[in-house]
Amino acid sequence: MKLGVEEVSKVLKISEQYTRRLMKLGKINSVYENRKWYTTKGELENFIKKGDYVIYPDDRVSKVKRLPKIIALSFFSGGMGLDIGMENVGIKPLLACEINKDARATIVSNNHEIGLIGDIWEYTPEKIREFAGITKKQKIDIIFGGPPCQAFSTAGNRKGFEDSRGNVFIRYLDLIESLKPTYVVIENVRGLQTTEAILDDTNGKAVKGGVLHYAVTRLEKAGYTVSFDLYNAANFGAPQKRERFVIIGKKGNKKVPYLTPTNSETGLFNLPKWKTLSDAIMDIQGNKMSYIEIPKSRIEWFKKIPEGGNWRSLSEEEQKLAMGKKYFMGGGKTGFYRRLSFSQPSPTLVTVPIMPATDLIHPTELRPLSVEEYARIQGFPDNWIFRGTIM
């Protein structure tokens, strides 16, 4: 049976123009007849099975038949890393809220029962309850999530609430106020505590720490007692020096205690030392890995850099050649031409491991960290299915 552009675009949930391009480029094995492109159902299925292209999953109501003891909702769920951590301590969410196509496909590939919604602006508290499979009277125990952090990141422009992604943070607070969970968890980058914002009582002036002040004040007005702090994941058993700001609110006057570390860098207080990169990934070395290539313009320099080294491992002349104008920049520049060390925790994992200022190159191999190694460092189980391209 032949399928035309219109039919294929409906299956893939993309525009006819983009569909035609995929067929013309041969991404979907197709034929051109009478000035029109055609393929078959079998060829279309082959294209989908390759895994590079992901169809945007539909929103869906939770399929959980028996409600758990703890009623939880997850927002900005991504690949479900935070959800896995919650589930490890007995909190399995009924609903995930995520708009990114690949992340949504990852969610439904790993959890066949969880409810799923998309754009946080399009869902009322009533609709959220409906998709979570809970009634209007059902008490929600916990809402957790990490709103998009780019608006607050120290690596970005830090526009705070002026950025539309920052406004999603406000929408998250709106929903918390309406849904009234007993507990709320908000995870964000360290820049949250210093990002400026214009508040009602600052006479139109942006104040440092305004975003944090705004969030805490709103939660307190909504009846929550709030604790917040900057935590390093390495102090809690992760093989990664990853600092994140965590806000925990609880309904009522009893404050949630600060989180107690389980590990320390030097073994202080008789705690186990930080876990290392070796602890996380050594046993999967030799397995098939999924990774992007180091740019050819920089690969020769990495051949000269030892485990745990960076651009400073080169001779002074080589440093100037490798770094160019960046050589004269201030700061330590430790992320340039960086090879990781098996004997240390990983630095903070970033979106792309070959960005010049935040390289995450394998300790001994001539490649960046792989998807599989990223997953181990982030605490994902080995059988977790990630959808989309490597990027």
Side-chain angles (χ1 to χ4, degrees):
M1 177 183 173
K2 289 199 300 187
L3 300 176
V5 171
E6 183 180 356
E7 295 149 305
V8 174
S9 68
K10 287 179 180 177
V11 173
L12 298 180
K13 299 179 184 178
I14 55 176
S15 68
E16 291 185 20
Q17 182 181 7
Y18 186 44
T19 301
R20 194 173 291 109
R21 184 175 171 220
L22 290 173
M23 297 171 83
K24 186 177 180 180
L25 292 173
K27 302 288 187 182
I28 303 172
N29 197 11
S30 309
V31 295
Y32 190 62
E33 295 178 354
N34 300 321
R35 302 177 70 180
K36 290 184 178 180
W37 287 99
Y38 295 97
T39 190
T40 64
K41 183 179 179 182
E43 292 294 350
L44 182 56
E45 288 175 350
N46 287 337
F47 170 73
I48 295 169
K49 283 178 183 177
K50 287 177 184 176
D52 286 343
Y53 182 82
V54 173
I55 298 174
Y56 192 90
D58 293 327
D59 289 357
R60 67 185 194 189
V61 174
S62 171
K63 299 175 184 177
V64 174
K65 294 177 181 176
R66 182 182 293 181
L67 292 180
K69 290 182 180 179
I70 299 174
I71 302 300
L73 307 180
S74 167
F75 286 81
F76 314 104
S77 307
M80 301 195 85
L82 185 53
D83 300 67
I84 291 169
M86 287 292 189
E87 189 171 346
N88 286 343
V89 291
I91 302 170
K92 188 172 182 177
L94 294 168
L95 177 80
C97 175
E98 176 57 54
I99 196 169
N100 178 272
K101 179 177 71 170
D102 296 328
R104 285 169 65 89
T106 296
I107 290 168
V108 299
S109 294
N110 291 283
N111 190 322
H112 304 300
E113 294 185 334
I114 195 168
L116 180 66
I117 60 174
D119 191 345
I120 193 172
W121 293 101
E122 295 180 359
Y123 284 85
T124 62
E126 293 74 25
K127 273 288 183 185
I128 289 170
R129 285 180 170 274
E130 177 188 334
F131 276 76
I134 53 178
T135 66
K136 191 181 292 186
K137 295 182 179 179
Q138 178 72 54
K139 180 173 70 73
I140 298 170
D141 295 298
I142 181 168
I143 286 177
F144 61 88
C149 62
Q150 292 95 327
F152 308 118
S153 175
T154 53
N157 293 324
R158 302 179 66 196
K159 295 179 180 178
F161 289 138
E162 295 176 25
D163 190 309
S164 62
R165 293 167 299 195
N167 288 332
V168 176
F169 192 100
I170 296 177
R171 178 60 178 163
Y172 186 43
L173 294 173
D174 292 341
L175 291 173
I176 288 167
E177 290 173 350
S178 300
L179 293 166
K180 299 179 173 61
T182 304
Y183 290 90
V184 56
V185 177
I186 302 172
E187 178 263 349
N188 218 291
V189 292
R190 64 176 297 157
L192 178 67
Q193 63 185 326
T194 55
T195 300
E196 296 180 346
I198 299 171
L199 305 176
D200 292 338
D201 56 353
T202 58
N203 299 316
K205 293 183 179 180
V207 293
K208 190 175 183 179
V211 172
L212 176 60
H213 177 77
Y214 174 84
V216 170
T217 301
R218 280 197 59 175
L219 288 172
E220 289 175 342
K221 286 182 179 178
Y224 291 90
T225 302
V226 181
S227 68
F228 55 86
D229 206 350
L230 182 68
Y231 295 102
N232 186 341
N235 288 330
F236 297 86
Q240 178 183 185
K241 291 180 281 188
R242 186 182 190 90
E243 290 188 324
R244 286 296 180 267
F245 204 78
V246 180
I247 301 172
I248 304 175
K250 182 186 179 184
K251 277 284 187 182
N253 299 319
K254 190 175 181 182
K255 194 170 185 177
V256 177
Y258 294 100
L259 306 182
T260 304
T262 60
N263 298 69
S264 72
E265 182 176 6
T266 61
L268 198 63
F269 305 118
N270 292 319
L271 292 175
K273 289 185 178 181
W274 282 351
K275 290 185 178 177
T276 66
L277 186 62
S278 176
D279 293 329
I281 68 171
M282 188 58 79
D283 66 313
I284 60 171
Q285 298 306 296
N287 291 2
K288 183 180 178 182
M289 298 287 180
S290 309
Y291 56 87
I292 53 180
E293 299 290 342
I294 298 172
K296 291 181 180 179
S297 61
R298 296 196 290 139
I299 199 164
E300 291 302 318
W301 297 120
F302 278 110
K303 291 179 181 179
K304 298 183 178 185
I305 294 172
E307 178 179 345
N310 60 18
W311 66 281
R312 292 187 181 276
S313 304
L314 302 170
S315 69
E316 186 173 353
E317 184 180 350
E318 288 173 330
Q319 289 176 15
K320 292 178 180 179
L321 287 171
M323 295 289 284
K325 293 179 181 178
K326 298 180 183 69
Y327 178 82
F328 302 98
M329 287 169 47
K333 305 184 281 290
T334 56
F336 286 92
Y337 292 99
R338 177 174 56 192
R339 270 194 184 273
L340 306 190
S341 170
F342 276 125
S343 63
Q344 295 291 324
S346 166
T348 300
L349 295 184
V350 293
T351 309
V352 182
I354 54 168
M355 293 299 288
T358 52
D359 280 315
L360 294 168
I361 305 304
H362 190 278
T364 57
E365 296 183 24
L366 204 56
R367 62 170 177 82
L369 291 179
S370 67
V371 173
E372 293 80 9
E373 289 162 340
Y374 255 57
R376 276 290 187 92
I377 295 165
Q378 287 285 100
F380 286 90
D382 289 344
N383 63 353
W384 202 254
I385 301 166
F386 295 100
R387 298 297 308 279
T389 64
I390 290 176
M391 263 315 211

